[in-house]
Amino acid sequence: AKMDKDFEELQQAESFQAQREAAQIADEQATDRRRAKRQRRKEAKKEGERLRKEADGINKFAGDGSFLDAMKNMSPEELKKMAEEAERTAVPGAPKVPVVSAQQMSSSANITIRDADD
């Protein structure tokens, strides 16, 4: 009877220890995940700061929604001058984008009407 009791206690102790080890491993994995997430956040923050600094010279318009009005009110000469300056100060490797005035965009040649059934 004592041997059976000792064996049962040993089995219980081993299963308890296995549970403890499994919980410890799970905790360590969760900690590692959180650490990696913090690191990613930190890197994303640095990347955001770097991009903001790079964009300082490029973005010349305020972010208050007045961009379209400013573009509409620009004369073609101003637009051309701004486009030439942007081309000079462009970041190497940046894609070239054609400059189109608001009048050109709204011209009827750009509007095509399609029927729903074709």
Side-chain angles (χ1 to χ4, degrees):
K2 181 167 177 5
M3 276 180 59
D4 289 343
K5 188 178 169 205
D6 287 347
F7 183 72
E8 278 181 26
E9 284 177 357
L10 181 68
Q11 293 298 89
Q12 284 178 337
E14 283 178 354
S15 71
F16 177 72
Q17 184 61 27
Q19 272 183 323
R20 279 189 60 212
E21 286 175 5
Q24 190 176 6
I25 289 170
D27 287 346
E28 286 172 0
Q29 287 174 340
T31 302
D32 289 342
R33 279 197 305 274
R34 289 191 192 103
R35 182 181 298 122
K37 186 175 181 179
R38 280 194 302 271
Q39 187 63 33
R40 281 195 310 273
R41 276 196 188 142
K42 203 172 176 182
E43 287 169 4
K45 193 173 179 183
K46 282 183 187 171
E47 180 71 7
E49 286 293 318
R50 187 182 67 76
L51 289 175
R52 264 191 290 287
K53 283 180 185 159
E54 278 182 16
D56 272 350
I58 299 170
N59 298 335
K60 294 179 177 66
F61 293 97
D64 57 4
S66 63
F67 172 77
L68 283 176
D69 294 330
M71 292 305 283
K72 277 185 202 168
N73 297 335
M74 254 187 208
S75 70
E77 295 83 32
E78 283 181 301
L79 192 66
K80 195 169 198 173
K81 192 176 84 178
M82 199 178 91
E84 286 170 359
E85 182 170 325
E87 213 168 279
R88 281 197 304 275
T89 60
V91 180
K96 294 271 186 265
V97 180
V99 177
V100 182
S101 71
Q103 288 85 6
Q104 288 171 316
M105 280 186 204
S106 67
S107 75
S108 59
N110 288 329
I111 300 171
T112 53
I113 298 171
R114 296 186 189 146
D115 293 327
D117 54 355
D118 39 302

